[in-house]
Amino acid sequence: MKAEQVQVTLLPSRVVSPTDPGHMSISFHGPSIEPVHRGFRVRIGDLPKPFRSPHRFRDFLFEDRVPGYVFDEFEFHIKCQMYLADCLMRAWPVKSESAVDEICASVPRREGWYSFNPDDFEDCHNCVTWAVSQINRVVSEVVLTRPRQGRIKEMVTILSNALLRNEP
């Protein structure tokens, strides 16, 4: 795939609903390709049964981990269009096409572990830490810092400051 730009999209927590944890994903763009969207999530069925409701899954994911999966995030990007004023987006030029090809490989696919406290576990991410690691990999340098425990609120600050400074 010949992507020219990689974009991060962040929808902060509690924008969609009071229990919504927010989400962050990446997408690839270029003049000769349709945008490709990727993100890191859990499969609700991997959670223990008592924690599968929208009001309980957070409790489990702050304390434990489940298998993590890379998914197509087309629907998330549609949702972001409805909440465009609340979304943060930032793009960088792609420098590693091979990394883009690996990230855009078939989905859904298992990739490590998922937790809301990924720093507490080995080979573990959440949507924020996964997106940051993939952006830096595709851009071939550290353009985003990984916030503590992949916190959405801290990532909002990091992205907002980068946008205000108009960093490349």
PDB file of all heavy atoms in Angstrom, residues 57-87:
ATOM      1  N   PHE A  57     -17.135  -3.520  32.464  1.00  0.00           N
ATOM      2  CA  PHE A  57     -15.902  -3.934  31.787  1.00  0.00           C
ATOM      3  C   PHE A  57     -14.706  -3.104  32.227  1.00  0.00           C
ATOM      4  O   PHE A  57     -13.596  -3.606  32.319  1.00  0.00           O
ATOM      5  CB  PHE A  57     -16.055  -3.927  30.261  1.00  0.00           C
ATOM      6  CG  PHE A  57     -16.007  -2.567  29.623  1.00  0.00           C
ATOM      7  CD1 PHE A  57     -14.826  -2.072  29.106  1.00  0.00           C
ATOM      8  CD2 PHE A  57     -17.150  -1.788  29.534  1.00  0.00           C
ATOM      9  CE1 PHE A  57     -14.780  -0.823  28.512  1.00  0.00           C
ATOM     10  CE2 PHE A  57     -17.114  -0.533  28.940  1.00  0.00           C
ATOM     11  CZ  PHE A  57     -15.926  -0.050  28.435  1.00  0.00           C
ATOM     12  N   ARG A  58     -14.932  -1.839  32.546  1.00  0.00           N
ATOM     13  CA  ARG A  58     -13.822  -0.974  32.973  1.00  0.00           C
ATOM     14  C   ARG A  58     -13.186  -1.490  34.265  1.00  0.00           C
ATOM     15  O   ARG A  58     -11.976  -1.459  34.421  1.00  0.00           O
ATOM     16  CB  ARG A  58     -14.305   0.459  33.147  1.00  0.00           C
ATOM     17  CG  ARG A  58     -14.721   1.098  31.834  1.00  0.00           C
ATOM     18  CD  ARG A  58     -15.371   2.438  32.066  1.00  0.00           C
ATOM     19  NE  ARG A  58     -14.436   3.332  32.712  1.00  0.00           N
ATOM     20  CZ  ARG A  58     -14.075   4.512  32.241  1.00  0.00           C
ATOM     21  NH1 ARG A  58     -14.604   4.953  31.138  1.00  0.00           N
ATOM     22  NH2 ARG A  58     -13.208   5.257  32.888  1.00  0.00           N
ATOM     23  N   ASP A  59     -14.034  -1.943  35.202  1.00  0.00           N
ATOM     24  CA  ASP A  59     -13.518  -2.461  36.475  1.00  0.00           C
ATOM     25  C   ASP A  59     -12.498  -3.566  36.224  1.00  0.00           C
ATOM     26  O   ASP A  59     -11.418  -3.578  36.818  1.00  0.00           O
ATOM     27  CB  ASP A  59     -14.649  -3.012  37.349  1.00  0.00           C
ATOM     28  CG  ASP A  59     -15.647  -1.951  37.757  1.00  0.00           C
ATOM     29  OD1 ASP A  59     -15.274  -0.759  37.800  1.00  0.00           O
ATOM     30  OD2 ASP A  59     -16.806  -2.314  38.033  1.00  0.00           O
ATOM     31  N   PHE A  60     -12.835  -4.484  35.338  1.00  0.00           N
ATOM     32  CA  PHE A  60     -11.945  -5.606  35.055  1.00  0.00           C
ATOM     33  C   PHE A  60     -10.666  -5.137  34.374  1.00  0.00           C
ATOM     34  O   PHE A  60      -9.562  -5.545  34.750  1.00  0.00           O
ATOM     35  CB  PHE A  60     -12.651  -6.650  34.191  1.00  0.00           C
ATOM     36  CG  PHE A  60     -11.796  -7.851  33.911  1.00  0.00           C
ATOM     37  CD1 PHE A  60     -11.712  -8.883  34.824  1.00  0.00           C
ATOM     38  CD2 PHE A  60     -11.050  -7.941  32.744  1.00  0.00           C
ATOM     39  CE1 PHE A  60     -10.904  -9.996  34.595  1.00  0.00           C
ATOM     40  CE2 PHE A  60     -10.245  -9.034  32.492  1.00  0.00           C
ATOM     41  CZ  PHE A  60     -10.171 -10.067  33.425  1.00  0.00           C
ATOM     42  N   LEU A  61     -10.787  -4.273  33.371  1.00  0.00           N
ATOM     43  CA  LEU A  61      -9.629  -3.884  32.575  1.00  0.00           C
ATOM     44  C   LEU A  61      -8.641  -2.983  33.314  1.00  0.00           C
ATOM     45  O   LEU A  61      -7.491  -2.858  32.905  1.00  0.00           O
ATOM     46  CB  LEU A  61     -10.079  -3.236  31.269  1.00  0.00           C
ATOM     47  CG  LEU A  61     -10.717  -4.212  30.278  1.00  0.00           C
ATOM     48  CD1 LEU A  61     -11.292  -3.469  29.086  1.00  0.00           C
ATOM     49  CD2 LEU A  61      -9.730  -5.274  29.832  1.00  0.00           C
ATOM     50  N   PHE A  62      -9.056  -2.361  34.408  1.00  0.00           N
ATOM     51  CA  PHE A  62      -8.108  -1.606  35.229  1.00  0.00           C
ATOM     52  C   PHE A  62      -7.262  -2.534  36.097  1.00  0.00           C
ATOM     53  O   PHE A  62      -6.185  -2.162  36.537  1.00  0.00           O
ATOM     54  CB  PHE A  62      -8.820  -0.580  36.108  1.00  0.00           C
ATOM     55  CG  PHE A  62      -9.096   0.721  35.407  1.00  0.00           C
ATOM     56  CD1 PHE A  62     -10.395   1.119  35.154  1.00  0.00           C
ATOM     57  CD2 PHE A  62      -8.059   1.540  34.976  1.00  0.00           C
ATOM     58  CE1 PHE A  62     -10.652   2.309  34.500  1.00  0.00           C
ATOM     59  CE2 PHE A  62      -8.310   2.730  34.320  1.00  0.00           C
ATOM     60  CZ  PHE A  62      -9.610   3.120  34.083  1.00  0.00           C
ATOM     61  N   GLU A  63      -7.757  -3.742  36.351  1.00  0.00           N
ATOM     62  CA  GLU A  63      -7.068  -4.672  37.243  1.00  0.00           C
ATOM     63  C   GLU A  63      -6.394  -5.842  36.531  1.00  0.00           C
ATOM     64  O   GLU A  63      -5.518  -6.489  37.100  1.00  0.00           O
ATOM     65  CB  GLU A  63      -8.054  -5.239  38.271  1.00  0.00           C
ATOM     66  CG  GLU A  63      -8.688  -4.181  39.150  1.00  0.00           C
ATOM     67  CD  GLU A  63      -7.672  -3.442  40.013  1.00  0.00           C
ATOM     68  OE1 GLU A  63      -6.684  -4.069  40.445  1.00  0.00           O
ATOM     69  OE2 GLU A  63      -7.866  -2.232  40.223  1.00  0.00           O
ATOM     70  N   ASP A  64      -6.802  -6.147  35.323  1.00  0.00           N
ATOM     71  CA  ASP A  64      -6.341  -7.360  34.660  1.00  0.00           C
ATOM     72  C   ASP A  64      -6.116  -7.088  33.177  1.00  0.00           C
ATOM     73  O   ASP A  64      -6.215  -5.955  32.717  1.00  0.00           O
ATOM     74  CB  ASP A  64      -7.383  -8.473  34.842  1.00  0.00           C
ATOM     75  CG  ASP A  64      -6.739  -9.842  34.954  1.00  0.00           C
ATOM     76  OD1 ASP A  64      -5.684 -10.068  34.328  1.00  0.00           O
ATOM     77  OD2 ASP A  64      -7.312 -10.693  35.648  1.00  0.00           O
ATOM     78  N   ARG A  65      -5.832  -8.136  32.433  1.00  0.00           N
ATOM     79  CA  ARG A  65      -5.615  -8.020  30.989  1.00  0.00           C
ATOM     80  C   ARG A  65      -6.375  -9.137  30.278  1.00  0.00           C
ATOM     81  O   ARG A  65      -6.698 -10.168  30.875  1.00  0.00           O
ATOM     82  CB  ARG A  65      -4.127  -8.107  30.659  1.00  0.00           C
ATOM     83  CG  ARG A  65      -3.550  -9.466  30.971  1.00  0.00           C
ATOM     84  CD  ARG A  65      -2.075  -9.542  30.698  1.00  0.00           C
ATOM     85  NE  ARG A  65      -1.652 -10.937  30.869  1.00  0.00           N
ATOM     86  CZ  ARG A  65      -0.508 -11.417  30.508  1.00  0.00           C
ATOM     87  NH1 ARG A  65       0.383 -10.627  29.940  1.00  0.00           N
ATOM     88  NH2 ARG A  65      -0.210 -12.685  30.683  1.00  0.00           N
ATOM     89  N   VAL A  66      -6.644  -8.902  29.009  1.00  0.00           N
ATOM     90  CA  VAL A  66      -7.272  -9.887  28.130  1.00  0.00           C
ATOM     91  C   VAL A  66      -6.534  -9.837  26.802  1.00  0.00           C
ATOM     92  O   VAL A  66      -5.784  -8.892  26.543  1.00  0.00           O
ATOM     93  CB  VAL A  66      -8.788  -9.616  27.918  1.00  0.00           C
ATOM     94  CG1 VAL A  66      -9.568  -9.810  29.207  1.00  0.00           C
ATOM     95  CG2 VAL A  66      -9.025  -8.240  27.345  1.00  0.00           C
ATOM     96  N   PRO A  67      -6.738 -10.822  25.925  1.00  0.00           N
ATOM     97  CA  PRO A  67      -6.099 -10.744  24.609  1.00  0.00           C
ATOM     98  C   PRO A  67      -6.477  -9.436  23.900  1.00  0.00           C
ATOM     99  O   PRO A  67      -7.614  -8.972  23.988  1.00  0.00           O
ATOM    100  CB  PRO A  67      -6.666 -11.953  23.862  1.00  0.00           C
ATOM    101  CG  PRO A  67      -7.007 -12.928  24.948  1.00  0.00           C
ATOM    102  CD  PRO A  67      -7.491 -12.074  26.091  1.00  0.00           C
ATOM    103  N   GLY A  68      -5.504  -8.844  23.217  1.00  0.00           N
ATOM    104  CA  GLY A  68      -5.730  -7.628  22.455  1.00  0.00           C
ATOM    105  C   GLY A  68      -5.791  -7.943  20.968  1.00  0.00           C
ATOM    106  O   GLY A  68      -5.151  -8.880  20.506  1.00  0.00           O
ATOM    107  N   TYR A  69      -6.561  -7.145  20.236  1.00  0.00           N
ATOM    108  CA  TYR A  69      -6.749  -7.386  18.804  1.00  0.00           C
ATOM    109  C   TYR A  69      -6.646  -6.081  18.022  1.00  0.00           C
ATOM    110  O   TYR A  69      -7.133  -5.036  18.465  1.00  0.00           O
ATOM    111  CB  TYR A  69      -8.125  -7.993  18.525  1.00  0.00           C
ATOM    112  CG  TYR A  69      -8.304  -9.358  19.127  1.00  0.00           C
ATOM    113  CD1 TYR A  69      -8.768  -9.507  20.426  1.00  0.00           C
ATOM    114  CD2 TYR A  69      -7.986 -10.511  18.408  1.00  0.00           C
ATOM    115  CE1 TYR A  69      -8.925 -10.756  20.994  1.00  0.00           C
ATOM    116  CE2 TYR A  69      -8.140 -11.765  18.969  1.00  0.00           C
ATOM    117  CZ  TYR A  69      -8.616 -11.881  20.262  1.00  0.00           C
ATOM    118  OH  TYR A  69      -8.762 -13.121  20.827  1.00  0.00           O
ATOM    119  N   VAL A  70      -6.042  -6.171  16.843  1.00  0.00           N
ATOM    120  CA  VAL A  70      -6.048  -5.069  15.889  1.00  0.00           C
ATOM    121  C   VAL A  70      -7.302  -5.243  15.044  1.00  0.00           C
ATOM    122  O   VAL A  70      -7.549  -6.322  14.500  1.00  0.00           O
ATOM    123  CB  VAL A  70      -4.787  -5.090  15.001  1.00  0.00           C
ATOM    124  CG1 VAL A  70      -4.846  -3.981  13.962  1.00  0.00           C
ATOM    125  CG2 VAL A  70      -3.534  -4.969  15.864  1.00  0.00           C
ATOM    126  N   PHE A  71      -8.087  -4.170  14.974  1.00  0.00           N
ATOM    127  CA  PHE A  71      -9.346  -4.189  14.230  1.00  0.00           C
ATOM    128  C   PHE A  71      -9.359  -3.104  13.158  1.00  0.00           C
ATOM    129  O   PHE A  71      -8.645  -2.110  13.261  1.00  0.00           O
ATOM    130  CB  PHE A  71     -10.531  -3.904  15.166  1.00  0.00           C
ATOM    131  CG  PHE A  71     -10.959  -5.068  16.006  1.00  0.00           C
ATOM    132  CD1 PHE A  71     -10.542  -5.182  17.324  1.00  0.00           C
ATOM    133  CD2 PHE A  71     -11.801  -6.029  15.490  1.00  0.00           C
ATOM    134  CE1 PHE A  71     -10.942  -6.242  18.113  1.00  0.00           C
ATOM    135  CE2 PHE A  71     -12.210  -7.098  16.265  1.00  0.00           C
ATOM    136  CZ  PHE A  71     -11.787  -7.211  17.586  1.00  0.00           C
ATOM    137  N   ASP A  72     -10.225  -3.288  12.169  1.00  0.00           N
ATOM    138  CA  ASP A  72     -10.552  -2.227  11.219  1.00  0.00           C
ATOM    139  C   ASP A  72     -11.377  -1.203  11.992  1.00  0.00           C
ATOM    140  O   ASP A  72     -12.332  -1.559  12.668  1.00  0.00           O
ATOM    141  CB  ASP A  72     -11.366  -2.803  10.056  1.00  0.00           C
ATOM    142  CG  ASP A  72     -11.669  -1.756   9.011  1.00  0.00           C
ATOM    143  OD1 ASP A  72     -12.258  -0.711   9.361  1.00  0.00           O
ATOM    144  OD2 ASP A  72     -11.350  -1.985   7.838  1.00  0.00           O
ATOM    145  N   GLU A  73     -11.022   0.058  11.899  1.00  0.00           N
ATOM    146  CA  GLU A  73     -11.697   1.103  12.667  1.00  0.00           C
ATOM    147  C   GLU A  73     -12.568   2.015  11.813  1.00  0.00           C
ATOM    148  O   GLU A  73     -12.805   3.171  12.165  1.00  0.00           O
ATOM    149  CB  GLU A  73     -10.656   1.947  13.419  1.00  0.00           C
ATOM    150  CG  GLU A  73      -9.960   1.207  14.508  1.00  0.00           C
ATOM    151  CD  GLU A  73     -10.812   1.013  15.749  1.00  0.00           C
ATOM    152  OE1 GLU A  73     -12.056   0.988  15.652  1.00  0.00           O
ATOM    153  OE2 GLU A  73     -10.235   0.877  16.833  1.00  0.00           O
ATOM    154  N   PHE A  74     -13.076   1.501  10.708  1.00  0.00           N
ATOM    155  CA  PHE A  74     -13.933   2.305   9.832  1.00  0.00           C
ATOM    156  C   PHE A  74     -15.119   2.886  10.601  1.00  0.00           C
ATOM    157  O   PHE A  74     -15.426   4.072  10.497  1.00  0.00           O
ATOM    158  CB  PHE A  74     -14.404   1.453   8.648  1.00  0.00           C
ATOM    159  CG  PHE A  74     -15.334   2.185   7.728  1.00  0.00           C
ATOM    160  CD1 PHE A  74     -14.832   3.113   6.830  1.00  0.00           C
ATOM    161  CD2 PHE A  74     -16.702   1.960   7.768  1.00  0.00           C
ATOM    162  CE1 PHE A  74     -15.681   3.804   5.979  1.00  0.00           C
ATOM    163  CE2 PHE A  74     -17.556   2.640   6.924  1.00  0.00           C
ATOM    164  CZ  PHE A  74     -17.046   3.569   6.029  1.00  0.00           C
ATOM    165  N   GLU A  75     -15.784   2.059  11.390  1.00  0.00           N
ATOM    166  CA  GLU A  75     -16.961   2.529  12.136  1.00  0.00           C
ATOM    167  C   GLU A  75     -16.583   3.595  13.168  1.00  0.00           C
ATOM    168  O   GLU A  75     -17.344   4.538  13.395  1.00  0.00           O
ATOM    169  CB  GLU A  75     -17.680   1.362  12.801  1.00  0.00           C
ATOM    170  CG  GLU A  75     -18.384   0.486  11.802  1.00  0.00           C
ATOM    171  CD  GLU A  75     -19.125  -0.676  12.451  1.00  0.00           C
ATOM    172  OE1 GLU A  75     -19.382  -0.622  13.674  1.00  0.00           O
ATOM    173  OE2 GLU A  75     -19.451  -1.624  11.724  1.00  0.00           O
ATOM    174  N   PHE A  76     -15.420   3.454  13.797  1.00  0.00           N
ATOM    175  CA  PHE A  76     -14.973   4.480  14.738  1.00  0.00           C
ATOM    176  C   PHE A  76     -14.793   5.814  14.023  1.00  0.00           C
ATOM    177  O   PHE A  76     -15.176   6.868  14.542  1.00  0.00           O
ATOM    178  CB  PHE A  76     -13.667   4.053  15.420  1.00  0.00           C
ATOM    179  CG  PHE A  76     -13.036   5.134  16.258  1.00  0.00           C
ATOM    180  CD1 PHE A  76     -13.630   5.560  17.432  1.00  0.00           C
ATOM    181  CD2 PHE A  76     -11.848   5.727  15.865  1.00  0.00           C
ATOM    182  CE1 PHE A  76     -13.050   6.558  18.209  1.00  0.00           C
ATOM    183  CE2 PHE A  76     -11.260   6.721  16.635  1.00  0.00           C
ATOM    184  CZ  PHE A  76     -11.864   7.144  17.799  1.00  0.00           C
ATOM    185  N   HIS A  77     -14.234   5.798  12.827  1.00  0.00           N
ATOM    186  CA  HIS A  77     -14.026   7.045  12.095  1.00  0.00           C
ATOM    187  C   HIS A  77     -15.350   7.659  11.630  1.00  0.00           C
ATOM    188  O   HIS A  77     -15.459   8.879  11.562  1.00  0.00           O
ATOM    189  CB  HIS A  77     -13.025   6.847  10.959  1.00  0.00           C
ATOM    190  CG  HIS A  77     -11.639   6.816  11.480  1.00  0.00           C
ATOM    191  ND1 HIS A  77     -10.839   7.920  11.549  1.00  0.00           N
ATOM    192  CD2 HIS A  77     -10.918   5.821  12.047  1.00  0.00           C
ATOM    193  CE1 HIS A  77      -9.684   7.610  12.104  1.00  0.00           C
ATOM    194  NE2 HIS A  77      -9.711   6.330  12.412  1.00  0.00           N
ATOM    195  N   ILE A  78     -16.343   6.836  11.376  1.00  0.00           N
ATOM    196  CA  ILE A  78     -17.688   7.360  11.084  1.00  0.00           C
ATOM    197  C   ILE A  78     -18.230   8.053  12.335  1.00  0.00           C
ATOM    198  O   ILE A  78     -18.784   9.157  12.265  1.00  0.00           O
ATOM    199  CB  ILE A  78     -18.641   6.218  10.638  1.00  0.00           C
ATOM    200  CG1 ILE A  78     -18.160   5.584   9.341  1.00  0.00           C
ATOM    201  CG2 ILE A  78     -20.076   6.717  10.530  1.00  0.00           C
ATOM    202  CD1 ILE A  78     -18.258   6.448   8.119  1.00  0.00           C
ATOM    203  N   LYS A  79     -18.084   7.406  13.493  1.00  0.00           N
ATOM    204  CA  LYS A  79     -18.536   7.995  14.762  1.00  0.00           C
ATOM    205  C   LYS A  79     -17.841   9.328  15.005  1.00  0.00           C
ATOM    206  O   LYS A  79     -18.461  10.296  15.459  1.00  0.00           O
ATOM    207  CB  LYS A  79     -18.251   7.049  15.931  1.00  0.00           C
ATOM    208  CG  LYS A  79     -18.731   7.592  17.268  1.00  0.00           C
ATOM    209  CD  LYS A  79     -18.217   6.830  18.471  1.00  0.00           C
ATOM    210  CE  LYS A  79     -18.670   5.432  18.561  1.00  0.00           C
ATOM    211  NZ  LYS A  79     -18.238   4.770  19.812  1.00  0.00           N
ATOM    212  N   CYS A  80     -16.555   9.395  14.700  1.00  0.00           N
ATOM    213  CA  CYS A  80     -15.809  10.634  14.924  1.00  0.00           C
ATOM    214  C   CYS A  80     -16.356  11.786  14.083  1.00  0.00           C
ATOM    215  O   CYS A  80     -16.290  12.941  14.503  1.00  0.00           O
ATOM    216  CB  CYS A  80     -14.323  10.424  14.630  1.00  0.00           C
ATOM    217  SG  CYS A  80     -13.511   9.438  15.896  1.00  0.00           S
ATOM    218  N   GLN A  81     -16.906  11.478  12.929  1.00  0.00           N
ATOM    219  CA  GLN A  81     -17.491  12.533  12.107  1.00  0.00           C
ATOM    220  C   GLN A  81     -18.686  13.179  12.824  1.00  0.00           C
ATOM    221  O   GLN A  81     -18.944  14.369  12.665  1.00  0.00           O
ATOM    222  CB  GLN A  81     -17.925  11.981  10.738  1.00  0.00           C
ATOM    223  CG  GLN A  81     -16.777  11.483   9.899  1.00  0.00           C
ATOM    224  CD  GLN A  81     -15.703  12.525   9.682  1.00  0.00           C
ATOM    225  OE1 GLN A  81     -15.983  13.647   9.289  1.00  0.00           O
ATOM    226  NE2 GLN A  81     -14.464  12.152   9.960  1.00  0.00           N
ATOM    227  N   MET A  82     -19.392  12.393  13.647  1.00  0.00           N
ATOM    228  CA  MET A  82     -20.534  12.924  14.402  1.00  0.00           C
ATOM    229  C   MET A  82     -20.071  13.780  15.582  1.00  0.00           C
ATOM    230  O   MET A  82     -20.808  14.618  16.066  1.00  0.00           O
ATOM    231  CB  MET A  82     -21.417  11.783  14.898  1.00  0.00           C
ATOM    232  CG  MET A  82     -22.027  10.977  13.768  1.00  0.00           C
ATOM    233  SD  MET A  82     -23.181   9.682  14.277  1.00  0.00           S
ATOM    234  CE  MET A  82     -22.395   8.901  15.644  1.00  0.00           C
ATOM    235  N   TYR A  83     -18.847  13.561  16.040  1.00  0.00           N
ATOM    236  CA  TYR A  83     -18.303  14.289  17.193  1.00  0.00           C
ATOM    237  C   TYR A  83     -17.033  15.029  16.802  1.00  0.00           C
ATOM    238  O   TYR A  83     -16.107  15.161  17.603  1.00  0.00           O
ATOM    239  CB  TYR A  83     -18.002  13.311  18.336  1.00  0.00           C
ATOM    240  CG  TYR A  83     -19.224  12.591  18.830  1.00  0.00           C
ATOM    241  CD1 TYR A  83     -19.529  11.310  18.375  1.00  0.00           C
ATOM    242  CD2 TYR A  83     -20.090  13.193  19.733  1.00  0.00           C
ATOM    243  CE1 TYR A  83     -20.660  10.644  18.819  1.00  0.00           C
ATOM    244  CE2 TYR A  83     -21.230  12.534  20.184  1.00  0.00           C
ATOM    245  CZ  TYR A  83     -21.503  11.257  19.725  1.00  0.00           C
ATOM    246  OH  TYR A  83     -22.623  10.607  20.151  1.00  0.00           O
ATOM    247  N   LEU A  84     -17.005  15.531  15.590  1.00  0.00           N
ATOM    248  CA  LEU A  84     -15.796  16.126  15.027  1.00  0.00           C
ATOM    249  C   LEU A  84     -15.226  17.253  15.892  1.00  0.00           C
ATOM    250  O   LEU A  84     -14.008  17.360  16.059  1.00  0.00           O
ATOM    251  CB  LEU A  84     -16.078  16.641  13.617  1.00  0.00           C
ATOM    252  CG  LEU A  84     -14.891  16.856  12.710  1.00  0.00           C
ATOM    253  CD1 LEU A  84     -14.035  15.601  12.622  1.00  0.00           C
ATOM    254  CD2 LEU A  84     -15.341  17.275  11.329  1.00  0.00           C
ATOM    255  N   ALA A  85     -16.081  18.061  16.494  1.00  0.00           N
ATOM    256  CA  ALA A  85     -15.599  19.176  17.316  1.00  0.00           C
ATOM    257  C   ALA A  85     -14.841  18.690  18.547  1.00  0.00           C
ATOM    258  O   ALA A  85     -14.006  19.415  19.100  1.00  0.00           O
ATOM    259  CB  ALA A  85     -16.767  20.061  17.739  1.00  0.00           C
ATOM    260  N   ASP A  86     -15.114  17.460  18.986  1.00  0.00           N
ATOM    261  CA  ASP A  86     -14.457  16.915  20.175  1.00  0.00           C
ATOM    262  C   ASP A  86     -13.223  16.087  19.851  1.00  0.00           C
ATOM    263  O   ASP A  86     -12.437  15.775  20.755  1.00  0.00           O
ATOM    264  CB  ASP A  86     -15.445  16.034  20.946  1.00  0.00           C
ATOM    265  CG  ASP A  86     -16.625  16.832  21.461  1.00  0.00           C
ATOM    266  OD1 ASP A  86     -16.391  17.759  22.254  1.00  0.00           O
ATOM    267  OD2 ASP A  86     -17.763  16.537  21.060  1.00  0.00           O
ATOM    268  N   CYS A  87     -13.046  15.697  18.606  1.00  0.00           N
ATOM    269  CA  CYS A  87     -11.922  14.835  18.215  1.00  0.00           C
ATOM    270  C   CYS A  87     -10.632  15.623  18.068  1.00  0.00           C
ATOM    271  O   CYS A  87     -10.641  16.783  17.660  1.00  0.00           O
ATOM    272  CB  CYS A  87     -12.215  14.160  16.880  1.00  0.00           C
ATOM    273  SG  CYS A  87     -13.336  12.786  17.018  1.00  0.00           S
TER     274      CYS A  87
END
